[in-house]
Amino acid sequence: GRSGGRRGGGARWGRGGGPLPTIDELEDGWNELRPGGDTVCSRGTEFSFFVDRGTVDKVVIDFMGGGACWDAATCGAANPLFIDAVDPFREALHGGSIIGFGTSGSIYDRGTFGGIYDRERSDNPLRDWHHVVIPYCTGDVHWGDARQDYDGVAIEHRGAVNARAVLAWVYANFSAPEQILVTGCSAGSLGSILWSADVMQHYPDTQVIQLGDSDAGVITDEFYREDFPRWNAEPAYPTFIPALAEPSGALRIEDFYVAIGAQYPTNFVSQFNSAFDSTQPIFYAVMGGDAQAWSTEMRASLDAIAAATDNFAAFVPAGTLHCVLPRDELYTITADGRPFLDWFDELLTTGSVESARCTTDCEAAAP
């Protein structure tokens, strides 16, 4: 375990694709690694990722959230619907507050990171783990590999390129860790399920747990048909899983959970979504959906995954909380009387857990 005060402030490493340090060479605290090469943020600024060394042979691979962008309106610089640079994450990890974006406000409500990022708390289940943070600055839920021009707004949707660069560093530095948690908040939740398959394939003898925090992937048919292709996400699909290589129809998020869960039955996939999440319905409405229908659609998606996947569980508390892992509500929120911290501990300790979903208190807490 850790002792004394917060460890040092970390360091920045690498420029222009130079060699990155090994895990053993990192300083205490958050280290910023700059992989260079083809990695890039949406408006051409430099991509980097962050690592805080742990003291046990366990690794958190953590995909950040921050909106999405798919046309001139959502990608515009004046009022974007997504975070377009690494800077806000750097500030937040070093104790500042993450900036807001667009009309929906920040996914972190301009608050500082707490939750799993508070390495001082003795009750933080991840306090001693190696923590790898993948910032999100490409507007494509970490899936894309395309350059698009939206009425003069040039956007680099290179989330998949950035993710692969970070995973390459992880794979080079951890040969066979005891346990890996692949997670992410908001858009990072979608990144976590896609890339968890790659991690599970790479580490066949490691217990890998995926937890998608606050993005159930509820989208409209119109968005899937007309807007999603702009990210060129399909090359990132884990086609080594037969159901995802030759799908019988259009793929939705539940198809990824079901296929990945079936392919890796000794691992575990899971989701957290508040019953009336404050942010997901906003994006559903921007996509042309009915915000009031989002909660019903979310629950139907979870039901479909659970019906087909033994190694899946969902935690659904009442209320509107968006993203539990970066917040101190991680230590207080409950669903149907079950504390999330207790549920999360069981998942990490045993590699399995039963769903906990609000029942009578769900509707009472509806906005």
Side-chain angles (χ1 to χ4, degrees), residues 162-332:
N162 297 347
R164 285 193 187 95
V166 179
L167 291 179
W169 183 88
V170 171
Y171 297 161
N173 282 274
F174 300 98
S175 59
E178 178 184 339
Q179 193 174 29
I180 297 175
L181 173 66
V182 185
T183 190
C185 149
S186 198
S189 171
L190 304 180
S192 76
I193 186 58
L194 178 78
W195 294 105
S196 70
D198 198 84
V199 175
M200 292 176 188
Q201 183 199 41
H202 186 83
Y203 292 109
D205 300 320
T206 294
Q207 180 188 68
V208 181
I209 294 169
Q210 179 272 343
L211 172 58
D213 178 7
S214 299
D215 198 327
V218 176
I219 62 174
T220 63
D221 292 339
E222 178 184 4
F223 174 83
Y224 186 85
R225 183 178 61 251
E226 298 181 8
D227 300 314
F228 177 73
R230 295 170 184 162
W231 296 340
N232 188 34
E234 289 191 10
Y237 286 7
T239 53
F240 47 84
I241 298 177
L244 301 176
E246 298 181 6
S248 57
L251 289 173
R252 295 302 181 95
I253 284 299
E254 50 260 37
D255 298 313
F256 285 86
Y257 275 92
V258 171
I260 293 169
Q263 183 77 8
Y264 302 101
T266 61
N267 292 326
F268 205 85
V269 292
S270 59
Q271 284 189 43
F272 173 101
N273 294 283
S274 295
F276 298 96
D277 186 294
S278 63
T279 300
Q280 294 184 67
I282 294 173
F283 281 90
Y284 190 47
V286 174
M287 294 175 185
D290 176 4
Q292 297 301 313
W294 175 85
S295 182
T296 300
E297 295 290 331
M298 177 270 290
R299 293 183 226 192
S301 177
L302 297 183
D303 289 343
I305 299 169
T309 314
D310 291 337
N311 50 331
F312 170 78
F315 193 96
V316 182
T320 62
L321 182 71
H322 183 66
C323 292
V324 68
L325 294 182
R327 303 179 187 273
D328 286 340
E329 282 89 339
L330 181 157
Y331 301 100
T332 59

Side-chain angles (χ1 to χ4, degrees), residues 11-24:
R12 295 186 183 181
W13 304 84
R15 285 183 179 275
L20 294 176
T22 66
I23 185 67
D24 294 330

Side-chain angles (χ1 to χ4, degrees), residues 52-63:
D52 192 347
R53 255 188 339 189
T55 57
V56 296
D57 192 22
K58 300 180 180 183
V59 185
V60 188
I61 302 174
D62 184 4
F63 290 84

